[in-house]
Amino acid sequence: MNIQKALAEFITFSAKRDNAISVIVSTPAYGQAPLYILKTDVLVGVIKRCLSGEIDLDDLELWANVIESREDVDCAEHEGVIYALSNSEQMGELDHQKLEKILALLKD
C-alpha cells in the first residue's frame, strides 16, 4: 500500500485502517505536497459514524490529531473543525453534543 492509499484508508476509517497506520507511521510527512484532500462529505461521514457509535470519541480525536500533523493531508477547508476535534485541552472534551453542533455548521 502506498502512502496516498494509506492516507485515504485511514481518513475514511476503512477496514484497512490498521494496515494504513503502519504505512503512515513509517512515511515522513514533512516537506510533502498534499497527497489527500479532506472533503466535506468525508468529514461529515466520519462525524456521523462517531455519533452512531461506530467510531469512538477517542479514536476521532486521534484521527484529527494525525490529520492536523500531516503536511501531506490538505485540510485547509476544514482547519477549524480539525483543530476543535484534536485539541480537547483548549476546546473542551469531545462529546456528542459538540459533534452535533459541528455537523450542523458543516451542513450550512
Side-chain angles (χ1 to χ4, degrees):
M1 176 181 307
N2 66 29
I3 184 62
Q4 189 170 17
K5 179 74 172 160
L7 289 169
E9 298 289 338
F10 175 78
I11 292 171
T12 60
F13 273 87
S14 81
K16 297 179 183 177
R17 184 172 177 263
D18 289 338
N19 292 340
I21 290 171
S22 64
V23 173
I24 291 168
V25 168
S26 66
T27 307
Y30 302 107
Q32 294 286 330
L35 299 173
Y36 186 92
I37 299 171
L38 180 61
K39 302 282 188 187
T40 303
D41 62 329
V42 171
L43 181 56
V44 166
V46 167
I47 291 173
K48 284 182 177 179
R49 289 169 62 195
C50 188
L51 286 169
S52 74
E54 184 181 340
I55 297 171
D56 186 69
L57 286 169
D58 290 337
D59 288 340
L60 182 67
E61 185 174 352
L62 175 63
W63 174 84
N65 273 304
V66 171
I67 290 172
E68 186 177 46
S69 69
R70 300 286 304 190
E71 290 182 17
D72 50 3
V73 176
D74 179 356
C75 65
E77 183 179 350
H78 304 295
E79 187 175 15
V81 172
I82 295 301
Y83 181 85
L85 295 175
S86 65
N87 290 283
S88 59
E89 299 83 27
Q90 288 85 14
M91 305 301 290
E93 282 297 313
L94 276 181
D95 59 30
H96 284 226
Q97 277 185 314
K98 287 182 184 172
L99 290 181
E100 290 283 0
K101 289 177 184 176
I102 290 170
L103 196 58
L105 291 171
L106 287 169
K107 290 182 176 182
D108 287 342

